[in-house]
Amino acid sequence: MRKIVLAGNWKMYKTQAEALEFLKGFLPQVEDTPDERDVILCVPFTALGTLSQNLHGGRVRLGAQNVHWEDSGAFTGEVSAPMLTEIGVDYVVIGHSERREYFGETDETVNKRLKAAQARGLTPILCVGETKAQRDAGETEAHIFSQLEKDLVDVDQSNLIIAYEPIWAIGTGDTCEAKEANRVIGLIRSKLTNADVPIQYGGSVKPGNVDEIMAQPEIDGALVGGASLEPDSFARIVNYNA
């Protein structure tokens, strides 16, 4: 039985005070969310400690947005898995398109981060997806299959979440048609050795389209960007109508 995973990726938004204010509006709305739905907030490093204290033992789990492949070392600006697990982080986003595009992330470094996260007990959320140019050129499948082949070398698929994020739909307001997202996610699943890996859709998920997205048989959740920044908005997504 595949898990349902609904994760908010706050990216570089919210101070600690703003994060706590979010919780005031959000937590009361998810008290009755079905237990089989895993709810995760992937927040900036500065907010992790504060949220960990306020989410401890509760309904919502905590995720980071990156992790280095070494436990320690001269890697200015990076954060290691032991640093994250020490403060109660359970999940980590790896290989997001913004990391790949702006910060030099490659499939090789993604693979190293995935293995390091798993070795220290973190569950990685691996992001894959195509650009508009790749989709227009008919290269969607080939590109994603290449990402999976390189990213998943020696990765434990029993402790993994995958997010399909068509890059052209991230933050643009353009959403991949639900049936098309379902088709691509089905293809991603066909390349895995573990068919029970939860596969999310990410890319302009909103309260207005989450019900249709989650009605698709291959889609096991959502990785939500902008719509996860408002308590009411993200609560509506988490409490989608199946």
Side-chain angles (χ1 to χ4, degrees):
M1 188 71 180
R2 305 197 308 262
K3 290 199 302 182
I4 299 298
V5 184
L6 300 141
N9 174 19
W10 284 1
K11 307 189 181 186
M12 198 177 70
Y13 291 101
K14 294 196 185 297
T15 63
Q16 294 179 62
E18 290 168 341
L20 290 176
E21 189 64 27
F22 174 93
L23 291 187
K24 289 180 185 177
F26 180 68
L27 292 180
Q29 298 189 65
V30 296
E31 289 179 355
D32 297 324
T33 298
D35 289 340
E36 61 268 20
R37 301 183 189 182
D38 286 354
V39 182
I40 308 167
L41 290 175
C42 300
V43 306
F45 293 128
T46 53
L48 287 172
T50 299
L51 287 198
S52 178
Q53 293 173 0
N54 284 271
L55 295 176
H56 184 70
R59 179 71 184 77
V60 180
R61 308 290 287 278
L62 193 59
Q65 297 175 14
N66 195 18
V67 65
H68 197 265
W69 52 85
E70 296 289 351
D71 284 352
S72 61
F75 303 104
T76 300
E78 290 282 337
V79 173
S80 72
M83 294 172 183
L84 296 176
T85 56
E86 181 186 38
I87 56 173
V89 174
D90 294 309
Y91 298 86
V92 59
V93 177
I94 295 177
H96 192 281
S97 62
E98 289 159 3
R99 299 298 310 173
R100 296 180 190 256
E101 181 179 356
Y102 303 132
F103 301 105
E105 193 81 85
T106 66
D107 288 315
E108 289 70 28
T109 58
V110 165
N111 176 252
K112 292 166 74 173
R113 295 182 200 273
L114 287 170
K115 290 185 289 189
Q118 291 183 335
R120 292 297 183 176
L122 293 167
T123 298
I125 302 174
L126 166 65
C127 299
V128 298
E130 81 283 6
T131 64
K132 182 75 162 61
Q134 288 163 337
R135 172 163 281 269
D136 290 346
E139 298 169 357
T140 295
E141 293 84 352
H143 176 69
I144 292 173
F145 293 167
S146 174
Q147 285 183 310
L148 292 171
E149 182 179 4
K150 295 171 183 175
D151 294 349
L152 294 179
V153 174
D154 296 327
V155 168
D156 178 6
Q157 294 188 20
S158 69
N159 181 33
L160 178 69
I161 299 165
I162 293 176
Y164 166 54
E165 293 202 309
I167 296 169
W168 48 273
I170 298 174
T172 62
D174 292 332
T175 309
C176 185
E177 290 288 336
K179 289 183 178 179
E180 172 62 7
N182 187 71
R183 182 188 74 84
V184 175
I185 286 174
L187 291 174
I188 290 172
R189 195 177 310 283
S190 73
K191 295 297 180 180
L192 304 177
T193 57
N194 177 13
D196 289 331
V197 172
I199 307 179
Q200 304 170 299
Y201 169 73
S204 295
V205 178
K206 301 182 283 285
N209 61 26
V210 67
D211 295 343
E212 182 184 9
I213 290 169
M214 291 306 302
Q216 303 301 314
E218 293 288 348
I219 298 178
D220 305 320
L223 182 60
V224 185
S228 72
L229 295 172
E230 295 295 331
D232 294 349
S233 173
F234 192 46
R236 171 63 181 86
I237 289 170
V238 166
N239 293 317
Y240 68 88
N241 297 311

